[in-house]
């Protein structure tokens, strides 16, 4: 008798039927597979400058104490975040990446069979955490690659518990303005939780009221909407993806629930210290945003020169339309030592999502694309 199989038969169905998250290919893996060097990764929306030197210094200092458990309450970092957003510390939930609080939302509020809404082109984690909880994931058709808030509001039923809105959105880079988002929050039932995932918020801060409707900092709206949860991360603009740290902002009552299921010590001591230091380095953030703006212009121009259309973005990535299946081009780019992200699993089989890199990295990507598409 095969004992392994007997045990596996008892895995809860919601878990057994999950399709795991597909991350960007790590550089080491491609090195092993193809035996090539000098690989660049423009696949996971990491900061090409890396973290602030102040964050690196903080990691060095904190490394002396890694024999001790971290501060499980994250006291110092929460105070720093509270000052940044002008909220109470008790409204903050720290996580191992912002993926952690996103999962706390579903585990706290979604019973098996209840609905969780998001957009057709949305972060792959939302359906995964929904399915894991036995919830029903509903992908609402997009409009112009972004969120269709009217369709989203119309899809809310009495058994809808959570709506996930990434602003700016991944994998499309589209964004919602202050006015339309407020209108949405005003018209939906107050017993539906709205999570605004602001993983790319910093990159969109160049939009001003003159541009159109600027991207709102929804942490300012927590007093107006008790059903609002806002998530932020240190993985993107702050360049700390490898340390795994992010947070949510919510009402105190919701944060209290998250705190009950939060694994003890879910944020390590290096991450706690590095994140606080990163918030203090305004210069590094400004540099990061400048590099991103320049790289964005460089890539847009390069794509246009190749006759390629792309989705207008306010994030640190651009999704480009190859007008042919993107996986073969992705594979060919790997042989050029350039890792990008095919997004067929997001229902966009002709697109590559390309993280905006440093000028020479962008150049290598564009040259590789040119050779592959015109060679
Ligand atoms: C990258 C990303 C996150 C952040 O993930 P972490 O767990 O904080 O590293 C959250 N939401 C979206 C939409 C993202 O693209």
């Amino acid at each position: 008798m095969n004992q392994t199989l007997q045990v596996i038969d008892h895995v809860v169905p919601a878990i057994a039927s999950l399709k795991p998250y597909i991350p960007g290919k790590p550089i080491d893996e491609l090195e092993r597979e193809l035996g090539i060097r000098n690989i660049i990764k423009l696949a996971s929306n990491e900061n090409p400058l890396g973290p602030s030197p102040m964050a690196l210094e903080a990691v060095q200092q904190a490394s002396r104490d890694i024999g001790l458990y971290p501060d499980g309450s994250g006291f110092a970092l929460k105070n720093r975040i509270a000052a940044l957003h002008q909220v109470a510390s008790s409204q903050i939930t720290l996580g191992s990446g912002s993926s952690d609080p996103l999962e706390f939302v579903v585990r706290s509020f979604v019973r098996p069979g209840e609905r969780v809404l998001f957009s057709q082109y949305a972060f792959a984690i939302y359906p995964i955490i929904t399915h894991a909880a036995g919830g029903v994931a509903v992908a609402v058709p997009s409009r112009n690659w972004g969120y269709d808030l009217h369709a989203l509001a119309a899809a809310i039923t009495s058994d809808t518990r959570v709506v996930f809105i990434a602003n700016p959105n991944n994998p499309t880079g589209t964004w919602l303005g202050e006015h339309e988002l407020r209108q949405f929050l005003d018209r939906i039932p107050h017993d539906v939780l709205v999570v605004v995932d602001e993983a790319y918020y910093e990159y969109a801060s160049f939009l001003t009221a003159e541009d159109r409707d600027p991207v709102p900092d929804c942490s300012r709206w927590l007093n107006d909407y008790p059903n609002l949860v806002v998530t932020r991360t240190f993985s993107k603009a702050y360049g700390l993806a490898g340390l795994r740290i992010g947070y949510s902002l919510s009402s105190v009552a919701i944060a209290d629930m998250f705190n009950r299921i939060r694994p003890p010590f879910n944020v390590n001591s290096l991450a706690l210290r590095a994140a606080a230091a990163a918030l203090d380095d305004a210069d590094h953030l400004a540099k990061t945003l400048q590099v991103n703006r320049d790289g964005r212009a460089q890539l847009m121009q390069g794509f246009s020169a190749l006759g390629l259309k792309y989705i207008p973005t306010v994030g640190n990535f651009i999704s480009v339309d190859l007008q042919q299946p993107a996986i073969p081009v992705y594979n060919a780019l790997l042989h050029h030592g350039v890792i990008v992200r095919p997004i067929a699993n997001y229902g966009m089989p002709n697109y590559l999502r390309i993280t905006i890199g440093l000028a020479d990295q962008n150049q290598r990507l564009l040259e590789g694309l040119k050779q592959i598409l015109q060679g």
Side-chain angles (χ1 to χ4, degrees):
M1 197 188 314
N2 189 326
Q3 297 200 0
T4 314
L5 277 185
Q6 273 196 341
V7 170
I8 282 294
D9 283 347
H10 292 287
V11 172
V12 296
I15 303 292
S17 60
L18 276 186
K19 292 204 195 92
Y21 179 75
I22 310 168
K25 190 185 244 334
I27 288 175
D28 290 355
E29 190 179 299
L30 185 61
E31 265 178 8
R32 284 196 304 273
E33 287 174 1
L34 297 184
I36 55 177
R37 295 295 192 89
N38 257 319
I39 293 167
I40 58 170
K41 184 182 175 211
L42 302 175
S44 301
N45 302 342
E46 293 136 335
N47 183 341
L49 295 175
S52 145
M54 285 163 62
L56 289 177
E57 172 66 25
V59 166
Q60 287 251 314
Q61 301 238 338
S63 69
R64 295 191 209 121
D65 296 328
I66 59 172
L68 304 174
Y69 278 103
D71 173 5
S73 72
F75 179 81
L77 178 61
K78 276 193 189 172
N79 278 343
R80 184 68 187 75
I81 293 170
L84 175 69
H85 293 283
Q86 294 170 358
V87 299
S89 285
S90 51
Q91 293 179 267
I92 301 165
T93 306
L94 298 178
S96 170
S98 57
S99 307
D100 236 8
L102 292 173
E103 190 177 344
F104 300 160
V105 168
V106 174
R107 286 176 56 204
S108 312
F109 285 93
V110 180
R111 292 181 177 81
E114 290 182 330
R115 281 155 61 99
V116 173
L117 308 187
F118 42 82
S119 181
Q120 179 181 0
Y121 306 112
F123 190 34
I125 292 289
Y126 306 152
I128 291 175
I129 57 185
T130 302
H131 291 145
V136 178
V138 180
V140 175
S142 287
R143 200 174 126 259
N144 297 330
W145 300 106
Y147 271 75
D148 180 342
L149 292 180
H150 290 285
L152 204 58
I156 292 174
T157 55
S158 61
D159 56 359
T160 298
R161 293 280 80 82
V162 177
V163 178
F164 283 113
I165 298 176
N167 196 36
N169 189 39
N170 174 16
T172 57
T174 54
W175 69 99
L176 297 166
E178 174 168 347
H179 182 69
E180 46 193 335
L181 202 45
R182 248 205 199 274
Q183 259 188 346
F184 174 79
L185 283 162
D186 282 334
R187 70 189 269 223
I188 68 154
H190 292 158
D191 63 347
V192 175
L193 214 72
V194 177
V195 181
V196 181
D197 176 346
E198 296 185 343
Y200 301 98
Y201 172 78
E202 294 83 0
Y203 290 104
S205 59
F206 69 91
L207 282 182
T208 63
E210 287 131 51
D211 283 297
R212 205 182 81 162
D213 216 5
V215 173
D217 169 358
C218 288
S219 70
R220 291 166 193 266
W221 300 355
L222 289 167
N223 287 336
D224 303 338
Y225 306 102
N227 56 328
L228 176 64
V229 175
V230 178
T231 59
R232 293 279 185 107
T233 183
F234 290 94
S235 299
K236 305 288 159 56
Y238 290 103
L240 294 172
L243 277 182
R244 312 301 308 128
I245 178 160
Y247 58 94
S248 66
L249 305 164
S250 66
S251 69
V252 174
I254 290 175
D256 177 38
M257 294 302 147
F258 293 170
N259 201 40
R260 297 175 194 203
I261 54 165
R262 185 177 64 87
F265 311 114
N266 63 331
V267 181
N268 69 72
S269 47
L270 303 182
L272 287 172
R273 295 276 289 278
L279 288 178
D280 285 337
D281 193 346
D283 288 347
H284 187 73
L285 181 60
K287 203 164 143 195
T288 294
L289 302 185
Q290 186 61 50
V291 163
N292 191 65
R293 272 198 298 276
D294 294 346
R296 194 171 77 116
Q298 181 188 5
L299 285 178
M300 292 194 299
Q301 203 172 25
F303 294 147
S304 296
L306 292 171
L308 299 175
K309 292 210 160 48
Y310 50 83
I311 303 173
T313 178
V314 293
N316 64 339
F317 55 88
I318 306 185
S319 289
V320 59
D321 182 3
L322 302 180
Q323 293 164 307
Q324 59 178 291
I327 301 261
V329 179
Y330 162 74
N331 284 321
L333 278 170
L334 292 181
H335 287 268
H336 285 260
V338 180
I339 308 173
V340 296
R341 192 71 156 267
I343 46 178
N345 60 321
Y346 284 88
M348 299 172 67
N350 288 359
Y351 282 77
L352 288 177
R353 192 195 67 192
I354 293 161
T355 302
I356 298 167
L358 303 174
D360 58 322
Q361 299 175 326
N362 299 330
Q363 194 53 38
R364 252 183 83 186
L365 175 271
L366 289 169
E367 275 164 17
L369 261 185
K370 184 174 181 183
Q371 283 186 31
I372 293 159
L373 296 175
Q374 301 179 351

